[in-house]
Amino acid sequence: MKEACGVFGVYYPGNRASYLTYDGLFTLQHRGQESAGMAVSDGQTITVFKEMGLVSNVFNETILTTLEGFLSIGHTRYSTTGSSTWANAQPAYRPMGHAGFALAHNGNLTNVDRLVEKVGMMPGMVTSDSDVLAELISKSSFFSGKDQTHALEKAVGEVINDVEGAYSLVLMDAYRLMGIRDPNGLRPLCLGVFKDESTDSELGWVLSSESAALNVIGAKFVREIEPGELIVIDETGIKSYFPFIVEPKEKLCIFEFVYFSRPDSILYNREVHGTRRRMGELLAIEHGVDADMVMGVPDSGIPAAEGYSKHSGIPYGQGLVKNRYIGRTFIYPTQEQRYKNVRRKLTPLKENIVGKRLIVVDDSFVRGTTSSALIKMLREAGAKEVHMRFSSPPFKWPCFYGIDIPTKDELLAANVEIDEIASIIGADSVGFLSLKSLMEAINAQGKEFCNGCLTGSYPSPVPTDAKPAIKMPATISDAKLFEKL
Ligand code: SF4
C-alpha cells in the first residue's frame, strides 16, 4: 500500500522559504518517493523546480540557493492517477494572473472525466488529475478581469464545487499562500506558525500534510485545516473561508492513523503513535493466543506489537531487521517479484526466534504477499509457530481517494472466507482488529472517518462495479510458487 503525496507550503517574509520547504518535504518523504518539487516566489516571479527521485536527490545546496523568495510550496509524489513521469511531477504551474500560480495536490479526484470535458482538454492530453485541476482553475473568469489581486482565491472558490473526490491542496501566486481541504477532509492538512517568542507576534505561516514536518523547521502546530476550509495567507494575515455548497463532513482516511502518517504527527488532537499502541492492546484482547514472543513488522507494525505485548504480558522482542538503505521500491508486476522484494527488505534475527512461538504484528492486510513471505522466512529461521495479527480489518474494497490499493480481485480477504486466510498464507492462526476496536483505539470523540476500503461504504459517489469477485485467488498457486523460491 502506498500513500499518494505530501504537500507543504511556507509564507515567511525575510526568510528563504526554499530551505524550509526542503526540510518539510524531507520529513514528508514517506508519503511519496517518485518525484519532488517546489515553487518559490520572491514577490515578483515564481520559479518552479521539480525532478524525479527522492527529495535529497532532487535538491542540493546550489539549487536551493537559486530558489530565492519568502513564499514556497512543495510536493512529494507517489502516483495513483497518471504515470510516474517528469511531466506529472508537481507543483503544477499555470501562467495566469500577475506571475502565474502553482498548485500541489494530495489525493485523488473521482470525477476527472467530467472535469476534462468541462475544461475542454483533449482526453489524450490529460496526464494527471492534478493537471486537470490546475487547468480548471486557470480557466476561471477571474483571471481575465482587470483587478487580478485576489484572482487565485476567487478562482479556487469559483471552480472547487465542481470537483469531487479527495484533495488537500496548497497553492500560491506571487504574493500569497493558500490551502484547501475537500469537504470530507479525506486527506490531512495542518497549519503551523513561526512566532516571535518575546512579543508573541506571528512572523510566518506553514501548511503541511503532517504536523511532524512543522517541528523539524521550528514552527509551532496551530490546528488542522477544517474539511471544506480555504485558508489564504498574505501580508494582511490569515483568512479562512468555507466556499463549498455542500455541508462539510469529517471523513479523514482511517489509514492515516493505522499506517500512512508518521507516528510523531498529530491528527484529531492526538499523537498517532499512542493510537497505534492502543490498537495493539485491543488486538491482544480480541485475538489473544499463547506464545513466547511478540514482534512487530518494521516499522509501522512495531507500536501495535508493543501494545499487544503490554496487554498480554508476552515479552516483546525484535525478530526482523529492515534494510534502511533500500531506497525506492517498485510495485512489482508479479507475485514472484513481490516475494523477492520482501526478502530484500526484511531479514530474520535467527537467535531471537529459533524454537519460539511467535506473534507477528503487522498494520494491514492486502494481498497476503508480505505475510506469506514473512511466515516462510520465520519458519526457515527456526520459529516453532507463527501467529499473524493485524492492527486493522482486512482490505475488501478498492480506494478511490488516492491510496494505491489493488483491485478487488487481488485483495485476498475479498475473495475467501477469513478463516481460510491462515492456511493460505501458511500461518498457525490469523487475527484482525475489528473496526469497532480500531475506532476505540483512535478514540476521536465526535469525529468520523472514511473506511470505504474496509466496508464498501464511501463518503462520496465513486465508480461502483458491484461486489468483490467470488473466485479463488491467484494466491494459492502463488503460495506454491513461493515454496520454490
Ligand atoms: S477508502 Fe480506505 S484508504 Fe481510501 S481514503 Fe477511505 S479509508 Fe483511506
Side-chain angles (χ1 to χ4, degrees):
M1 236 196 334
K2 297 284 175 91
E3 168 61 274
C5 311
V7 297
F8 195 78
V10 174
Y11 179 93
Y12 198 2
N15 288 270
R16 266 187 185 275
S18 59
Y19 282 84
L20 297 166
T21 302
Y22 174 85
D23 285 339
L25 293 182
F26 196 73
T27 314
L28 298 176
Q29 185 73 83
H30 61 289
R31 297 184 77 90
Q33 294 104 45
E34 291 183 3
S35 65
M38 69 172 86
V40 183
S41 170
D42 58 5
Q44 297 292 329
T45 309
I46 295 177
T47 309
V48 181
F49 188 90
K50 59 184 188 176
E51 195 47 89
M52 303 303 292
L54 299 171
V55 176
S56 56
N57 296 336
V58 169
F59 297 102
N60 58 37
E61 186 86 25
T62 311
I63 293 165
L64 291 176
T65 308
T66 59
L67 293 170
E68 282 191 43
F70 64 96
L71 168 57
S72 174
I73 63 169
H75 190 262
T76 59
R77 181 165 194 257
Y78 174 77
S79 57
T80 51
T81 300
S83 49
S84 182
T85 60
W86 181 88
N88 286 341
Q90 296 185 35
Y93 173 81
R94 291 292 186 280
M96 314 304 290
H98 285 307
F101 72 88
L103 167 156
H105 173 206
N106 173 208
N108 203 52
L109 308 186
T110 52
N111 65 336
V112 174
D113 289 350
R114 188 144 57 76
L115 297 178
V116 166
E117 204 176 303
K118 182 179 170 72
V119 87
M121 291 171 93
M122 299 287 287
M125 301 297 287
V126 176
T127 55
S128 76
D129 58 342
S130 310
D131 196 48
V132 174
L133 195 51
E135 190 67 14
L136 186 68
I137 294 168
S138 74
K139 292 280 164 60
S140 164
S141 55
F142 289 106
F143 284 115
S144 51
K146 265 193 181 163
D147 180 10
Q148 301 262 317
T149 317
H150 296 282
L152 181 58
E153 66 207 70
K154 287 178 183 167
V156 170
E158 181 184 53
V159 305
I160 208 70
N161 278 292
D162 292 329
V163 180
E164 290 175 6
Y167 50 92
S168 278
L169 305 173
V170 292
L171 306 98
M172 60 180 280
D173 59 18
Y175 325 102
R176 54 185 66 78
L177 172 65
M178 296 168 49
I180 187 165
R181 271 180 95 189
D182 70 71
N184 289 308
L186 281 154
R187 305 261 76 87
L189 188 66
C190 70
L191 177 69
V193 66
F194 292 107
K195 274 197 165 182
D196 181 335
E197 296 297 342
S198 58
T199 61
D200 201 34
S201 54
E202 288 120 6
L203 302 174
W205 298 95
V206 188
L207 293 168
S208 174
S209 290
E210 292 186 37
S211 63
L214 305 177
N215 305 337
V216 171
I217 61 166
K220 287 200 164 57
F221 175 75
V222 177
R223 66 177 175 88
E224 288 166 60
I225 307 302
E226 298 286 320
E229 183 178 13
L230 167 65
I231 288 279
V232 181
I233 299 162
D234 62 15
E235 61 183 4
T236 63
I238 181 163
K239 296 186 193 70
S240 163
Y241 305 95
F242 287 84
F244 290 92
I245 298 165
V246 296
E247 185 79 20
K249 296 176 277 184
E250 297 228 71
K251 293 284 186 182
L252 179 67
C253 168
I254 203 163
F255 278 90
E256 291 289 346
F257 277 99
V258 176
Y259 172 78
F260 300 133
S261 287
R262 284 172 55 116
D264 50 345
S265 281
I266 307 283
L267 288 171
Y268 284 175
N269 288 325
R270 59 212 9 88
E271 194 175 68
V272 169
H273 181 262
T275 66
R276 289 180 185 161
R277 277 185 68 104
R278 183 74 186 135
M279 288 168 206
E281 289 173 24
L282 294 173
L283 190 56
I285 292 170
E286 286 191 339
H287 298 287
V289 62
D290 202 15
D292 304 309
M293 186 174 105
V294 181
M295 54 179 274
V297 179
D299 289 318
S300 49
I302 288 175
E306 289 171 355
Y308 195 108
S309 167
K310 181 178 164 224
H311 185 84
S312 64
I314 300 169
Y316 174 81
Q318 194 182 348
L320 290 163
V321 176
K322 183 176 179 181
N323 182 351
R324 297 193 183 280
Y325 303 99
I326 199 157
R328 185 182 164 210
T329 57
F330 300 87
I331 304 293
Y332 291 98
T334 67
Q335 287 282 45
E336 180 175 350
Q337 287 167 316
R338 287 197 283 266
Y339 281 138
K340 280 184 177 164
N341 195 38
V342 174
R343 286 184 186 276
R344 205 178 288 139
K345 280 186 189 165
L346 298 166
T347 42
L349 280 170
K350 289 191 180 176
E351 281 189 21
N352 259 10
I353 60 179
V354 70
K356 287 186 180 155
R357 296 168 300 161
L358 301 175
I359 296 170
V360 181
V361 182
D362 205 350
D363 49 53
S364 54
F365 187 79
V366 188
R367 296 182 179 90
T369 310
T370 303
S371 300
S372 53
L374 275 178
I375 292 162
K376 178 149 174 68
M377 274 198 303
L378 292 169
R379 290 198 196 281
E380 281 172 356
K384 199 166 146 200
E385 293 174 15
V386 183
H387 301 273
M388 291 301 300
R389 295 292 180 268
F390 299 91
S391 58
S392 63
F395 287 101
K396 290 188 174 178
W397 300 83
C399 175
F400 298 93
Y401 303 124
I403 305 303
D404 187 23
I405 295 173
T407 61
K408 284 185 292 191
D409 289 352
E410 294 176 88
L411 296 172
L412 186 54
N415 293 283
V416 300
E417 298 300 325
I418 294 296
D419 53 15
E420 293 177 87
I421 290 176
S423 65
I424 291 173
I425 65 173
D428 289 283
S429 72
V430 165
F432 298 95
L433 188 66
S434 68
L435 184 56
K436 181 172 169 289
S437 289
L438 177 55
M439 297 288 285
E440 188 183 329
I442 297 169
N443 191 28
Q445 305 289 338
K447 305 282 189 186
E448 291 186 30
F449 296 91
C450 174
N451 54 32
C453 51
L454 307 177
T455 62
S457 171
Y458 299 90
S460 68
V462 294
T464 48
D465 49 352
K467 297 196 180 328
I470 305 297
K471 69 177 189 102
M472 289 310 287
T475 313
I476 290 177
S477 53
D478 290 339
K480 285 187 192 136
L481 166 69
F482 185 62
E483 291 296 321
K484 288 192 253 155
L485 298 177

